Amino acid sequence: LVLVDMNGTLVHRSRAPLPGARPPDLAHGHRYYYIRDGAADLVAALRADDRITFAFYTSMQRRNAEPAARALGAADAPLYDAPFNAPEAAA
């Protein structure tokens, strides 16, 4: 199993377009997403290897992470989000 962090590793998100940077790869939910150089190629290579079970892990909410997964060419990859603000399940 290879879990790859999305926000900050594969993707940089900002509240405004970055001055002097290339245009964002994606705009979603008042955020601008920049796919890091080589990130989509890395994801494709990991997904192509039959020995690897690939998934994304992210602290982003699912509704914000799914468009980034699509932009990385992996819309169908498992996505494990960390619901930090959700109530914990009863023990």
Side-chain angles (χ1 to χ4, degrees):
L1 173 63
V2 176
L3 286 175
V4 180
D5 179 55
M6 194 178 282
N7 193 25
T9 303
L10 299 176
V11 177
H12 173 78
R13 285 191 314 161
S14 65
R15 292 179 188 249
L18 298 175
R22 61 182 163 80
D25 298 294
L26 171 68
H28 172 76
H30 305 290
R31 296 286 189 270
Y32 298 88
Y33 293 63
Y34 295 86
I35 306 298
R36 295 193 187 274
D37 292 341
D41 293 334
L42 172 65
V43 169
L46 291 170
R47 295 187 73 209
D49 190 323
D50 292 337
R51 299 169 298 169
I52 293 174
T53 299
F54 175 84
F56 291 113
Y57 175 81
T58 184
S59 60
M60 286 191 280
Q61 293 180 3
R62 182 172 293 272
R63 69 176 182 262
N64 296 322
E66 287 173 343
R70 285 193 298 275
L72 288 161
D76 61 338
L79 176 62
Y80 297 98
D81 55 342
F84 292 113
N85 295 320
E88 292 186 356

